[in-house]
Amino acid sequence: MLTDREVLSTLEMLKNEHLDVRTVTMGISLFDCASPDFDVFAARVRAKIRRHAKNLVAFCDEVGDKYGIPVVNKRISVSPMGVVCASFGPQDMVRAAKVLDDAAREAGVNFLGGFGALVDKGMTAGDRALIDALPDALAETERVCSSVNVATSKTGINMDAVARMGEVIKLAAERTADRDGIGCAKLVVFANIPQDVPFMAGAYLGVGEPEAVINVGVSGPGVVRKAIDRARKSNPKFNLGELSEVIKRTAYKVTRVGEIIGREVADRLGVPFGVVDLSLAPAPQVGDSVGEIFQSLGLSSIGAPGSTAVLAMLNDAVKKGGAFASSHVGGLSGAFIPVSEDLNIAEAAASGALSIEKLEAMTCVCSVGLDMVPIPGDTPASTISAIIADEMAIGMINSKTTAARIIPVPGKKAGDTVSWGGLLGEATIMRLPHMSGSEDFISLGGRIPAPIHQMKN
């Protein structure tokens, strides 16, 4: 039972601390829309998305107004299109992306995820066609996002796919060179991707999901930081164990808000409620930064020694508090550490306090990975693939989700700045200490075997 003081603190979160529901994402299965006839496929997709999502934005706004809690983003995720469109070639895959883009625009959502493939053990013809189509599809659409899962803890790492994704990321950057390579901001390479992620660009609807479902992603880095600041001010002798308890109780309240909003939206739409994703999602504005939490816990900046330990404690406390607040927790559920989308992290990267090596180390204990990392535009594809391989290895060995959203910004070098606007924010291009030297390794291809987890049969 929450005390009166805790209820009042929740109201304070709403009023002054940037508490919001970061995203309500409607998952829609498109498996029954498959057809070798493109026109039939397109008509089925448009009709189904229109049928399920026509009231999504209006109901989210109504529920948000009712409780005084804004739902910042309304989005759609669909079945992996590498499967749904398995009979199409690359050109029709691009056309399929445009159909999804039009449907998302009609529904009024800002992003639609699921134009992706699951290729951790191998690629079908449909998967290859989709991956080949990605540079053009991301350049010629506004709202379509893609995720490609290239590794799992049970199957290992598909290094052929890793090598190909390095090339695709380079091409996607080149196709959108006039917009600083923004196509890559809509493309994530995953290990152990969950099938119920509400956050973009990784969202898709997995094969074990219902016809339609509502998943919710909460936010709250500003709320957590304020709670820590208040606790340390009231009692400067609080140790990390006691501060972990403060984070846990704060996460409980934040998650409860998300669950209430998500369930009411799902009820109004007449679809089941899926999961709450407990991730702390930052925004590129003062007061809503994951990086600021590190300073509240005594570090000069994110990236300083101790940052990995702080992130591990933060992630654990958020999960423990959130798990108590929600019956169904899913998605990524951890702290995001995107470079460009978090003002404090972007500043740390610009000053050199945060290196890409330290970022990678921190992804061992967060739930996302190398996220929104701008790198020099002349970075070779093989180097990008090698960075992806390192990140996938962390996920594979530790049985956790990791991801890489790398953006080689065309025409720019380390130290230059890039701005994509909105939630994508801005950042300084990060220095890569090894711009080359991975070509032979990546060219080997094949599949890195999965690690042994147990000898039990």
Side-chain angles (χ1 to χ4, degrees):
M1 177 72 74
L2 292 178
T3 65
D4 291 346
R5 183 181 295 274
E6 286 174 316
V7 172
L8 290 174
S9 74
T10 304
L11 295 175
E12 184 67 15
M13 292 176 186
L14 296 171
K15 187 177 178 183
N16 296 321
E17 299 174 5
H18 303 286
L19 177 61
D20 52 44
V21 173
R22 181 54 52 90
T23 181
V24 170
T25 300
M26 179 177 226
I28 302 174
S29 174
L30 297 185
F31 287 123
D32 58 347
C33 299
S35 170
D37 185 316
F38 186 88
D39 292 336
V40 172
F41 158 81
R44 289 174 178 173
V45 167
R46 291 191 187 97
K48 188 160 188 181
I49 292 178
R50 186 181 298 127
R51 183 168 72 251
H52 284 288
K54 62 182 179 183
N55 294 318
L56 173 63
V57 173
F59 287 168
C60 285
D61 289 341
E62 287 177 12
V63 175
D65 290 343
K66 174 181 175 182
Y67 292 101
I69 302 169
V71 178
V72 179
N73 298 297
K74 302 89 175 177
R75 294 165 173 175
I76 294 172
S77 64
V78 298
S79 312
M81 299 305 284
V83 179
V84 176
C85 302
S87 60
F88 294 163
Q91 290 185 337
D92 279 342
M93 285 288 188
V94 176
R95 295 173 65 198
K98 292 178 179 178
V99 170
L100 294 174
D101 200 44
D102 290 340
R105 184 180 295 108
E106 183 181 345
V109 300
N110 55 355
F111 283 120
L112 179 150
F115 190 75
L118 309 172
V119 296
D120 47 276
K121 202 173 181 180
M123 285 185 271
T124 65
D127 295 330
R128 287 185 188 279
L130 182 135
I131 290 172
D132 289 346
L134 276 175
D136 287 335
L138 294 173
E140 296 177 22
T141 60
E142 180 183 359
R143 292 170 168 78
V144 171
C145 294
S146 177
S147 57
V148 179
N149 193 69
V150 300
T152 72
S153 297
K154 291 188 180 298
T155 60
I157 305 173
N158 182 346
M159 289 299 294
D160 293 325
V162 169
R164 182 63 182 135
M165 290 311 299
E167 297 167 349
V168 166
I169 288 170
K170 284 283 290 186
L171 290 170
E174 291 169 6
R175 296 283 197 280
T176 52
D178 58 332
R179 290 167 282 165
D180 285 330
I182 197 171
C184 299
K186 301 187 291 175
L187 172 60
V188 193
V189 184
F190 269 99
N192 294 319
I193 186 173
Q195 60 180 0
D196 51 15
V197 182
F199 287 105
M200 297 295 167
Y204 83 104
L205 188 71
V207 295
E209 297 284 317
E211 276 287 292
V213 65
I214 288 292
N215 294 321
V216 171
V218 298
S219 180
V223 172
V224 170
R225 182 180 70 87
K226 289 283 188 181
I228 294 170
D229 290 345
R230 278 196 299 269
R232 294 195 70 186
K233 186 176 181 181
S234 66
N235 188 347
K237 294 184 178 179
F238 265 6
N239 62 33
L240 289 171
E242 290 163 326
L243 291 170
S244 174
E245 183 68 18
V246 170
I247 297 170
K248 194 169 70 175
R249 294 177 73 84
T250 305
Y252 167 82
K253 288 180 275 190
V254 170
T255 306
R256 201 66 187 152
V257 166
E259 171 117 358
I260 290 170
I261 297 290
R263 285 192 179 279
E264 183 151 345
V265 171
D267 285 345
R268 293 190 182 204
L269 288 168
V271 302
F273 175 73
V275 301
V276 178
D277 185 317
L278 307 178
S279 295
L280 289 180
Q285 61 191 56
V286 175
D288 205 18
S289 161
V290 172
E292 290 173 343
I293 297 174
F294 289 70
Q295 295 171 329
S296 292
L297 287 170
L299 293 177
S300 59
S301 165
I302 184 172
S307 296
T308 307
V310 165
L311 187 57
M313 186 191 86
L314 178 64
N315 250 15
D316 179 69
V318 167
K319 289 185 179 185
K320 285 174 176 171
F324 184 57
S326 175
S327 302
H328 300 288
V329 174
L332 300 169
S333 291
F336 287 10
I337 48 172
V339 175
S340 72
E341 295 177 351
D342 185 307
L343 180 61
N344 187 275
I345 296 177
E347 290 175 348
S351 69
L354 177 63
S355 66
I356 194 167
E357 296 93 333
K358 185 62 176 177
L359 262 181
E360 182 185 303
M362 292 169 67
T363 65
C364 295
V365 298
C366 81
S367 297
V368 187
L370 292 171
D371 195 17
M372 289 299 289
V373 180
I375 60 175
D378 60 351
T379 305
S382 59
T383 301
I384 297 171
S385 295
I387 294 171
I388 293 170
D390 285 342
E391 196 59 37
M392 300 301 102
I394 290 171
M396 177 185 70
I397 295 293
N398 294 292
S399 296
K400 67 185 289 295
T401 300
T402 53
R405 187 158 50 150
I406 309 289
I407 307 170
V409 183
K412 294 196 174 180
K413 61 183 186 302
D416 292 344
T417 58
V418 58
S419 177
W420 293 291
L423 279 176
L424 297 178
E426 61 182 61
T428 299
I429 310 294
M430 297 191 75
R431 187 180 71 85
L432 292 182
H434 301 285
M435 284 287 284
S436 61
S438 304
E439 298 87 349
D440 286 350
F441 166 66
I442 293 300
S443 68
L444 293 173
R447 187 151 57 97
I448 294 179
I452 290 178
H453 297 286
Q454 59 181 355
M455 297 299 288
K456 185 178 178 181
N457 59 21

